[in-house]
Amino acid sequence: MLSFEQGVSARVPDALMADMYRDRKRVFIDLLGWDLPVLDDKFEIDQFDSPDTLYLIVGQPDGTHLGSMRLLPTDRPTIIGDFFEHLCDTGAPRSGQVWELSRLCLSPRIRAAERRGVRNRLLTSAVQFALRNGISGYCCVTHAWYLPEVMAYGWQCRPLGLPQFDPGGMVGALEISINEETPRLMAEAGTWDETPVQTYVDAALGEGGVQ
């Protein structure tokens, strides 16, 4: 199941959303040791998880989270704009046509063989979402050791500046261009996955996409 979900409440009532936040705590806080806020000692939720936030989630019908990412337009508050602008030589992107990818989270409960498939499904769906909604690019902040892997996914991307030291290690910022050539380039790199899945779009988005 692939789901586009919008928004978060303090109670985290939805099973799939709740499991996503649990896995985010397991990955980013328990495993990676990031200093992030925790809700009820269970959920990793920060100030960017708002009623306007969009999430791309791969999960099972019973509400089990397999993988997810968060999508934020950069004309609103973002991680890169609020905390990592110093990584960008000409300033962080600030445009409704450039969105931030953050909190790419693969459940630690799934096997290594599944992780690649879930990751590719998320990447493909993010590109499909961008092409349908007039988004020309994504940006992200990641650890320096992960930058070569992100750049090898097949899409066209460029560093926004040199990696710099952060308390959690060396980090860098990238901007990823999305255009009609992106699906072909990702297919050549082996990361494009059009496996048929049922897609749910939150009613607040409208039938035509992001409003």
Side-chain angles (χ1 to χ4, degrees):
M1 179 180 73
L2 174 68
S3 179
F4 283 97
E5 302 290 348
Q6 184 174 26
V8 56
S9 73
R11 296 176 59 189
V12 196
D14 179 79
L16 182 58
M17 295 286 283
D19 205 38
M20 177 187 73
Y21 292 124
R22 287 191 198 97
D23 273 349
R24 278 176 35 173
K25 178 182 181 294
R26 292 177 182 126
V27 171
F28 299 119
I29 297 176
D30 298 341
L31 295 179
L32 297 179
W34 293 6
D35 183 16
L36 300 171
V38 180
L39 177 65
D40 297 335
D41 295 323
K42 298 179 181 178
F43 309 111
E44 187 275 298
I45 297 178
D46 66 15
Q47 65 268 42
F48 303 105
D49 295 304
S50 74
D52 295 327
T53 304
L54 290 175
Y55 305 90
L56 180 57
I57 308 172
V58 175
Q60 296 177 339
D62 64 359
T64 299
H65 168 264
L66 301 178
S68 57
M69 65 172 60
R70 182 170 64 185
L71 308 178
L72 298 167
T74 59
D75 58 359
R76 304 176 190 174
T78 59
I79 292 175
I80 194 171
D82 288 14
F83 295 105
F84 291 102
E85 186 151 15
H86 62 280
L87 297 177
C88 308
D89 289 345
T90 59
R94 300 184 187 278
S95 167
Q97 283 71 53
V98 178
W99 287 44
E100 179 181 74
L101 297 181
S102 63
R103 293 301 193 269
L104 173 58
C105 177
L106 302 179
S107 174
R109 296 165 294 176
I110 62 177
R111 299 176 180 176
E114 290 182 272
R115 293 173 66 84
R116 181 181 177 88
V118 172
R119 181 205 68 187
N120 289 351
R121 189 67 195 120
L122 288 169
L123 298 177
T124 299
S125 298
V127 171
Q128 292 171 327
F129 177 80
L131 292 173
R132 288 198 303 266
N133 291 285
I135 297 170
S136 62
Y138 288 115
C139 61
C140 66
V141 174
T142 188
H143 289 286
W145 59 264
Y146 193 59
L147 287 171
E149 182 168 345
V150 175
M151 298 178 75
Y153 288 159
W155 48 24
Q156 298 169 316
C157 54
R158 64 181 182 89
L160 292 173
L162 293 175
Q164 298 185 34
F165 181 77
D166 183 76
M170 292 292 289
V171 295
L174 289 175
E175 184 166 357
I176 301 158
S177 297
I178 304 296
N179 54 55
E180 296 299 329
E181 288 294 300
T182 304
R184 179 184 60 81
L185 295 172
M186 291 178 63
E188 292 175 355
T191 55
W192 188 258
D193 180 3
E194 293 191 41
T195 302
V197 293
Q198 188 171 10
T199 304
Y200 299 90
V201 181
D202 189 282
L205 297 181
E207 295 180 358
V210 178
Q211 301 298 310

